[in-house]
Amino acid sequence: MPGTCVVGLQWGDEAKGKLVDILTEEHEIVVRYAGGANAGHTVVSDGQTWKLSLIPSGILRDGVTCVVTGGVVLDPASVINEIDGLESRGVRIDGKLLVSDRAHVVFPWHVAEDKLLDGSLTGGESIGTTGRGIGPCYRDKVGRSLAIRLGDLYRPEFPSQLRHIAGLKEKLLGVGLDAAAIEAQYRGYAERLRPLVCDTTSFLLDAVEAGRKLLFEGAQGALLDVDHGTYPFVTSSNSSGVGISSGSGVPGRWIERVIGVVKAYSTRVGGGPMPTEQDNAVGQRIRDRGNEYGTVTRRPRRCGWFDAVAARYTARLSGVDELAVMLLDVLSGFDELKVCSAYRIAGREVRQFPSHVDDLRQAEPVYETLPGWSEELTAVRRYDELPENARRYLARIGELLGRPVTVVSVGPDRVQTILRPSASTPNAWPRHPHSTPVNA
Ligand code: GDP
Ligand code: IMO
Ligand code: MG
């Protein structure tokens, strides 16, 4: 069976982009199935840094087809900007990128609505969205009457459809919209994107039936999943593993391997509870060492200890087989490290992740304390070269989540990666994933 998925198990930014780039070597097609320009994925190789948002991180390799499916909300200006940026740096896009005609299109009114409504939760709290119009575009998709899909841009009814919706949006939002200017702008985008637009569902179904190897690139993290995350402090799509099929149209039976990606600690951008947050010198040290500032918005990320209750929940939810523990190098120099292995809620110790955000707010982390290590890890390339306490830390995370740790990342670069075949997937890793050989 041909599918592998990389899914973030925390609140996003787990370094999914780095892992997807490495795994692209052994896949033919890389697929984005959810989210939009709220994602910011980073790949570092040969001294160059690449920031990807809507385009799958597989685009940097030759011989790979990248697919943006109908589960994604597409801001055409954003994707065109990304294409131009990649091409100007010598990355070939032609014939390598497909975009679904079912993808819902982000319009200026979505961005306006996002800004207007963030901060209007009951009690005046803010979700702290990325301001990219993601929530309003998904809301219109589900609501149907105010939605425009990419395929609609090529149809004769598009001008009247746009004017009708823009008129309603003006009334609903109390803003002025120049429908004629928006129409001209989006016609321009449509012409530019025309060669890429197709029915990606059929393309992917043909691909899996032909035995081609697919890699699904999760965006956001499973704790931001609209149905299963820390609602309402979530994004508006199924960002956990449960969204792969609905977003891409590929049945789950084709996915044979799910890799859950975690940071060696926790981060979160935006509002909502985060039980292990360290709003103190510990959190600041993690932020400084991990350069924990948002890729999309540059907001400082909230930082804290590893939360095994949350990650165990999302690993189970996403059907995770194995774990990639990223940014382990950031934790060097702490005398002791804490891992949250249970919550205390209303005097009771629980290991089940609460379904209501108010219960999560009350959760006091129950910590295990593990010994730290002082050595810098960025030059380590073999698992057995890691300090004993670092190996002990990884082993404990694996135990608490009930899955083997098969990837350890010790720096942003492709080469700063330790790949360990697991018993369940002995031949799973590319034989030559890097310019420098790495092994278990
Ligand atoms: P994504 O959204 O999950 O792809 O992750 P982001 O790109 O938003 O954030 C991950 C950040 O960590 C990026 O700046 C990466 O270059 C960086 N990074 C990835 N792996 C490592 C690592 O092992 N160590 C360190 N120090 N940084 C890393
Ligand atoms: P990647 O793919 C981290 C967060 C926002 C906000 C909430 C809702 O890079 O991991 P939205 O704009 O989606 O309506 O915002 O979700 N968020 C992310 N946080 N990484 C991301 O993506 C995120 N995408 C959305 O900060 O709290
Ligand atoms: Mg990111």
Side-chain angles (χ1 to χ4, degrees), residues 11-16 32 36 38-41 52-53 114 127-136 218-221 224 232-236 268-271 295-297 299 301:
W11 283 286
D13 303 327
E14 298 90 347
K16 300 173 292 292
R32 264 287 300 274
N38 49 353
H41 296 183
L52 296 146
S53 183
D114 202 358
I127 296 171
T129 73
T130 58
R132 300 295 160 101
I134 305 296
Q220 290 76 56
L224 291 171
F233 299 96
V234 292
T235 190
S236 298
R268 173 162 209 174
V269 203
T295 308
V296 176
T297 57
R299 288 177 288 180
R301 294 178 183 143

Side-chain angles (χ1 to χ4, degrees), residues 17-50:
K18 170 177 170 167
L19 187 59
V20 166
D21 167 65
I22 290 172
L23 285 167
T24 296
E25 193 137 329
E26 56 161 15
H27 291 85
E28 300 166 71
I29 299 170
V30 184
V31 186
R32 264 287 300 274
Y33 59 87
N38 49 353
H41 296 183
T42 315
V43 177
V44 180
S45 84
D46 300 326
Q48 292 206 67
T49 299
W50 307 88

